[in-house]
Structures are given as structure tokens and as C-alpha cells.
Amino acid sequence: MHRPADADPVSHTRPAAPVPVLSQTARDLRRHHAERLVQQAWEEMARHTTGEVTVTTVADDVALWLAVFAREVPAPLLSAAFRARAAVHAVAGLSMEVSLTLHHVCVGVLNRAVAGCWSQTRDRTAPDTGLTATTLDALRAASTAVVHELGRQETGPRPQRTPPAPALLFPAAAAPAPRWCLAAIRPGSSVKEAQRRFRADNPHASIVTAGTHLTAFTHHPPAAPEVLAPYALVPVENGNTAGAARRAALAAVIARHYRRSLTAEHVLPLIAALDLTAKDRDAFATACLGPLHTSDRHRYLLDTLAAYLAHNLCVTAAARSLFIHRHTLTYRLRSIQLLTSLDLDRPLDRLQAELALLLCRADAVRALPRRHTA
């Protein structure tokens, strides 16, 4: 028996998922309420964490989720987009738990905002089915990306059968995978100004700050990088943004120590030394510098040694830089030799002293992204 079309109960009880309605709602929220949504997400994260997440990180994650809700991130690139965010979370030092919490907080805030917009409209043709499907699909991609990127850092690298998906750094569009990573360490008061100036010359760069560290990903070699000098620049290999960020951060410590910009290829042995565990770094510095490293009372001798090496063993220039008499510097150098057994006239001793100074004076190492463990 043939049933008339208007007798089909499904056609009256389940309208099609309102993808256009959801997309337009997300765009309206981004246009008129983005700051409020970021503030809500930031306040909710503050109840779950103890200050690990910056407002900038929250704002970037909210922007990505708004783009997802607005259907501006193609489905094939959804995983790549969240992989890029997971890499940024890794650079910022977030744990896997905090990263997952941040994604869920963003989704919760946006779900409530979308539902609130729909409840205020007279048009009741916007059921929650489209919203629920979008949320579940994107959360699945986000969770997988976080576990893959941050979980690997906590449990060690895992073999991959296929190359990682290309990173999507800009949430509103399908951007090419980044090819360069730049890192710099700036005094706390100048990080934001340096970021603003760098952004003006590189509008499509993806930038994250963590304390005094600034990390930027670009598709092309960055323009006007001297605004961040001294900086370190490394290539992104095989789409591994987290690995490139760590190498760049380590190289930035060296760039800051020697006050010159550089590329990672020029200082690979030094990067390997900085990538030692904190225990091994401390052991080497203690063996080479002795009480100059372990005792605060000899801190002035550590500064003297650094100045003497920085001025190519020139007593006059080093003394001038420290605002002391050259005879005072000579006396301090004798004290350094007695305490450390270093003979700075011997190349090997100078090399050990240089490396030990880099390890023990580079206080920025403490803010580096977590090391991959074997």
C-alpha cells in the first residue's frame, strides 16, 4: 500500500541538521561576542588549573573552535588544525590533562552561547542535532591530536606508520604547513612589544609566548626578524612543529647567551648539550666550575669568568666591562684557577668553561618545553 508523502512521520519530526544556521550563529558570535567568550573560557580554566594557561592561548583556542562551528575548517583538515594547536600547547608547557580540559571548556562555552542565541530567536527550526554532531566530531579530532602530540612527550616517541598530517596554523582557513620556526628570549617587559612589531611584518605567523619565550611559525622565512634579535631560526622537518619549537627554544638560549642571532645548524653540539637532563647539566657545570656554580658567595667570580671569556681573554677590556681595576681582575682570575683548577690558557679548559657557563647561566632553560624522553 502506497503511503502519501505527507504521511511520513520522519519528515515532520526531524528536520535536516541546520548547518547554515549553526555557521551563521558562530560567525555572529565571533563578530559581536568574541571577547566575552574568551573571558568566560579564561575564567572557567582558572577554576580548573593554577595559572598554566595564558589568555592568548585561550583566545587562539576559542578562535579555532569558532571556525570549526562556522564550518570554515574543512573536514579533511580538522585533525591537522588540532595537531597544530597541540604543538602550540606543547611549546607553552601545558600537560595533556590541561590541554584536553581547555578544549572541553571552549566547547562548553560555545555550546552554551549557541544554545542561548537559538533560544532567543523566534525561529525554532534550529534543533541541537547539528550542534551535537559538530561538537562530537571536532572533540574527537581534538582529543586524538592532544594525546598524539602531548602524550608522546610524556611517554616517549612512538613509531609512526605514516607521516604526520600537515599542520594548520590558522584556524579560519586551510593554511600551508609551517616551514620555519623562530624563537627568541626577551625581557618580560618587552615580549608583547616585540610580538606586536613582528606580527606587523608577518601577519600570517602563528605566535605563542610563554614567559620570556616567544615562538613563531611561518610558511616563508620570517620578515624583519631583527625586531626579535637575538633570535634562533630552525626549519620544520616533516611537519613536526613540536620538535622544531624545542630545537628553536634551545638555540634561542644560545643566541641570548652570546648575544647574536643564529640558525640551529650552526650550534647543533651546543643544542645537544642543552638538551641534557637538568641533573646532567648541573653535574657538568659543578665538575667544571665547582663552587662558582654551587655557591652564591662566588657569584661575582662567575661573572668575572664570563666577562674574561667574552672579551677573548683581554684583561683590560674585561675589567672595563665590570667597572673594576685590571689588577682586581687579575686577582680574581687567580682565585678562579684555585677554586676550579681551570687553566684558561689551555684550549680544552676554555671550552669546558664556555660550555659550563652556557649551561649554568642560561636561566631560560627552566622555561623550555618539556623534553621528549626515550
Side-chain angles (χ1 to χ4, degrees):
M1 178 178 178
H2 179 70
R3 175 182 293 177
D6 57 0
D8 185 358
V10 176
S11 63
H12 294 281
T13 60
R14 181 67 68 184
V19 172
V21 176
L22 176 59
S23 300
Q24 185 57 49
T25 303
R27 294 189 185 101
D28 290 342
L29 287 171
R30 181 169 56 199
R31 186 179 302 112
H32 303 295
H33 304 288
E35 292 186 4
R36 178 175 61 83
L37 295 174
V38 171
Q39 183 63 29
Q40 290 177 358
W42 165 252
E43 292 175 354
E44 189 166 340
M45 279 303 296
R47 294 195 292 269
H48 293 286
T49 63
T50 58
E52 300 97 325
V53 185
T54 66
V55 176
T56 302
T57 302
V58 173
D60 290 344
D61 276 41
V62 169
L64 173 57
W65 278 102
L66 280 170
V68 170
F69 278 36
R71 297 290 177 138
E72 294 171 345
V73 181
L77 293 175
L78 195 62
S79 295
F82 285 112
R83 285 280 295 276
R85 287 308 303 161
V88 172
H89 288 183
V91 173
L94 302 188
S95 66
M96 183 167 59
E97 293 79 10
V98 172
S99 181
L100 288 171
T101 300
L102 178 54
H103 282 304
H104 282 267
V105 165
C106 290
V107 168
V109 168
L110 295 187
N111 274 351
R112 291 193 296 270
V114 170
C117 290
W118 287 354
S119 67
Q120 295 174 8
T121 62
R122 295 182 179 180
D123 182 9
R124 304 302 296 172
T125 62
D128 291 340
T129 53
L131 178 61
T132 302
T134 298
T135 299
L136 291 178
D137 290 343
L139 265 180
R140 188 180 300 111
S143 301
T144 301
V146 169
V147 171
H148 184 277
E149 290 290 328
L150 281 80
R152 180 177 57 184
Q153 294 197 33
E154 296 178 357
T155 61
R158 299 173 183 174
Q160 296 180 345
R161 296 182 179 179
T162 58
L168 180 69
L169 295 179
F170 315 112
R179 297 177 57 190
W180 298 96
C181 179
L182 181 146
I185 302 173
R186 306 281 299 182
S189 59
S190 66
V191 173
K192 294 300 182 184
E193 175 60 20
Q195 178 179 348
R196 184 190 66 78
R197 294 173 59 192
F198 184 79
R199 170 71 73 186
D201 293 309
N202 301 270
H204 298 298
S206 179
I207 304 173
V208 61
T209 57
T212 59
H213 286 256
L214 183 147
T215 307
F217 291 100
T218 61
H219 179 60
H220 300 288
E226 59 273 8
V227 300
L228 297 176
Y231 64 86
L233 186 65
V234 305
V236 178
E237 300 175 354
N238 300 322
N240 185 1
T241 51
R246 178 163 182 83
R247 290 198 310 277
L250 291 166
V253 172
I254 301 168
R256 184 191 189 194
H257 182 73
Y258 289 105
R259 300 179 183 178
R260 57 172 295 181
S261 299
L262 49 86
T263 58
E265 289 78 3
H266 295 154
V267 290
L268 284 177
L270 296 182
I271 291 177
L274 283 178
D275 207 22
L276 294 171
T277 65
K279 180 179 179 180
D280 288 341
R281 291 197 306 268
D282 183 72
F284 180 83
T286 300
C288 293
L289 301 176
L292 273 65
H293 173 60
T294 59
S295 175
D296 289 338
R297 63 176 293 197
H298 296 302
R299 191 66 55 185
Y300 72 100
L301 293 179
L302 197 67
D303 295 336
T304 301
L305 176 61
Y308 186 56
L309 293 174
H311 288 87
N312 299 315
L313 310 188
C314 178
V315 173
T316 302
R320 188 182 298 116
S321 70
L322 294 172
F323 303 101
I324 60 176
H325 196 276
R326 62 189 312 274
H327 292 166
T328 303
L329 184 81
T330 302
Y331 174 78
R332 290 185 181 182
L333 291 176
R334 287 198 296 267
S335 299
I336 291 173
Q337 185 171 7
L338 289 173
L339 290 171
T340 65
S341 301
L342 288 172
D343 183 355
L344 298 179
D345 291 329
R346 295 186 297 198
L348 179 58
D349 285 19
R350 288 199 302 274
L351 177 61
Q352 290 176 325
E354 284 274 7
L355 188 53
L357 280 172
L358 176 63
L359 296 182
C360 73
R361 289 175 61 88
D363 55 357
V365 170
R366 293 194 299 267
L368 289 173
R370 291 165 297 164
R371 183 189 181 199
H372 292 198
T373 56

